[in-house]
Amino acid sequence: MNENVRIAVVGATGVVGREVLSALLDQGVPSERLAALASERSEAVELEYGEDTLELEKTTPESFRGVGLVLLATPASASRKLAPVAQAAGAWVVDASSAFRADGNVPLVLPTFNPEVLGATFKGRIVSIPSAVSSALVSIIAPLQKAFGGVVRAQVTAMMGVSSAGVSGVGELEKQTAGLLSAREPEAHAFPHRIGFNLVPQVGPFMANSPWTEEEAGWTLEAARLFGARGETPVIAGTAVQVPTFYGHGLSVHVQLKVPAPVEQARAALKTSPALKVLDAPTEKVYPMPMLIAGDPAIHVGRLRTFPQAPEWLSLFAVVDNAGRGGALNLVEAGLRLLQRPA
Ligand SMILES: NC(=O)c1ccc[n+]([C@@H]2O[C@H](COP(=O)([O-])OP(=O)(O)OC[C@H]3O[C@@H](n4cnc5c(N)ncnc54)[C@H](OP(=O)(O)O)[C@@H]3O)[C@@H](O)[C@H]2O)c1
């Protein structure tokens, strides 16, 4: 890697952007190589970066001059505008939003699943990463695919913490919880209904003329792109539910394998993946929970079960750190690998 390449983090004030800075600090990237960018709302805000301070700049086309890598942790509407500008300025671009996930001209990369794409030839300089839920599902299904000769389908209920909606989602749950405990009826802004002491079976907007939300449709599409490139086609579908926790998405997953999956063998298969941590001793109260996940780069998996009437179905519960593993780490790992490509 060229040690002098400048890196721009766009969306640095956001839930994912702050985790990106933390991951870059862990990788030893000095503050002099960084530009921390956001919207004009954040101009001159200061962020701590180890012992240094980064001053936020508003993002303009000039922001990408002399920058080798642009990490976009911005809403899809902003990424759609900024990615081509950064690409035209000669930078590699990795985008965390949904803007390019369905675009066949833009590689979809999960660095723990298909890192080889980052060294291969592809059109343009923009790379997209999957959503937090898709990346967790693919990471869980991949070792099961390998061990059991294939996965037919996976049915999922994703219980998504409010940080999935960024800083405004976190603020809304804080405010509503405090308000409701003081008997004040809250107003809903970031979510379609009150989220304090509630569950909302809608995360993000619905697809046009469809009963599926964009979040849910994204799991099916992204898994098809990632597994499809290997000639494998598990069908992934389910329900996204917004839940009143802050960080961490819980996933109740039922996987149909090609052959019966004894629990011991399934556990052994999941343990082979460095992307996963198996927490599965339920009688000792050991299983994945959002309160255990913050900052863990591994996806937690547990509560493994089968039932005799349908032995090829495996049930499990998983938790992913949505902002870290499910967003920032994929962004940073993909970006730093792109910088290792020969010039
Ligand atoms: N949250 C998650 O769990 C998660 C996981 C994976 C992927 N993602 C994706 O990552 C992206 C960021 O999500 P988030 O949760 O971090 O959102 P967020 O907390 O709302 O942060 C959004 C960031 O984007 C900046 N921004 C907004 N419009 C901009 C513009 N026109 N130009 C430059 N910067 C702009 C904001 O700056 P200001 O502070 O100045 O407004 C803020 O820094 C989204 O596309 C999301 O879908 C999120």
Side-chain angles (χ1 to χ4, degrees):
M1 186 196 346
N2 182 339
E3 299 294 332
N4 299 316
V5 170
R6 276 184 65 72
I7 301 174
V9 179
V10 192
T13 52
V15 161
V16 174
R18 284 173 189 262
E19 294 289 329
V20 167
L21 291 178
S22 163
L24 289 170
L25 186 65
D26 287 347
Q27 292 290 326
V29 176
S31 58
E32 303 77 57
R33 280 181 60 199
L34 290 180
L37 307 171
S39 78
E40 66 283 354
R41 289 179 291 274
S42 306
E43 209 169 356
V45 164
E46 292 189 340
L47 291 179
E48 277 179 25
Y49 186 76
E51 294 183 354
D52 300 334
T53 303
L54 298 171
E55 188 172 319
L56 263 291
E57 294 164 38
K58 132 177 147 185
T59 315
T60 69
E62 286 70 47
S63 307
F64 304 125
R65 235 180 251 151
V67 170
L69 173 65
V70 175
L71 301 175
L72 291 176
T74 43
S77 53
S79 293
R80 268 186 215 105
K81 289 185 194 140
L82 296 172
V85 179
Q87 174 176 247
W92 289 107
V93 183
V94 190
D95 180 41
S97 82
S98 60
F100 302 101
R101 289 181 190 146
D103 185 338
N105 291 317
V106 174
L108 184 66
V109 178
L110 177 58
T112 52
F113 178 78
N114 60 345
E116 67 282 356
V117 172
L118 296 162
T121 306
F122 56 85
K123 213 172 123 193
R125 298 175 75 83
I126 304 171
V127 166
S128 182
I129 60 165
S131 76
V133 173
S134 297
S135 62
L137 291 172
V138 169
S139 303
I140 293 162
I141 289 168
L144 296 173
Q145 260 311 358
K146 201 167 159 200
F148 296 100
V151 167
V152 180
R153 64 173 63 85
Q155 291 176 352
V156 189
T157 304
M159 292 152 241
M160 301 176 64
V162 292
S163 58
S164 70
V167 168
S168 62
V170 172
E172 186 140 318
L173 179 59
E174 279 170 356
K175 205 166 156 202
Q176 290 191 354
T177 307
L180 285 159
L181 289 172
S182 312
R184 284 197 303 274
E185 188 55 34
E187 287 173 29
H189 299 289
F191 305 108
H193 296 277
R194 188 188 93 202
I195 189 62
F197 305 104
N198 193 20
L199 300 173
V200 181
Q202 178 189 350
V203 178
F206 282 91
M207 304 277 289
N209 306 316
S210 167
W212 299 95
T213 62
E214 289 177 6
E215 171 69 35
E216 292 157 353
W219 309 337
T220 311
L221 185 141
E222 292 156 39
R225 281 196 75 188
L226 289 164
F227 284 120
R230 293 184 178 180
E232 298 160 352
T233 51
V235 177
I236 298 182
T239 308
V241 185
Q242 199 81 66
V243 301
T245 54
F246 287 100
Y247 293 93
H249 295 343
L251 310 174
S252 169
V253 188
H254 305 283
V255 186
Q256 186 186 13
L257 298 143
K258 286 242 169 86
V259 294
V263 165
E264 279 310 321
Q265 284 179 33
R267 193 180 289 116
L270 294 167
K271 279 185 176 168
T272 62
S273 169
L276 307 176
K277 191 182 281 178
V278 177
L279 299 181
D280 193 30
T283 55
E284 291 158 44
K285 302 182 197 160
V286 174
Y287 29 68
M289 293 185 285
M291 72 176 218
L292 301 176
I293 202 73
D296 198 329
I299 295 154
H300 293 184
V301 189
R303 291 293 321 275
L304 300 192
R305 284 151 290 154
T306 54
F307 51 116
Q309 296 84 345
E312 73 284 8
W313 281 92
L314 173 74
S315 300
L316 56 86
F317 189 73
V319 175
V320 58
D321 177 3
N322 51 298
R325 175 73 274 167
L329 291 184
N330 291 334
L331 208 55
V332 169
E333 288 169 15
L336 295 184
R337 270 179 187 262
L338 284 170
L339 292 185
Q340 287 167 358
R341 287 170 69 103

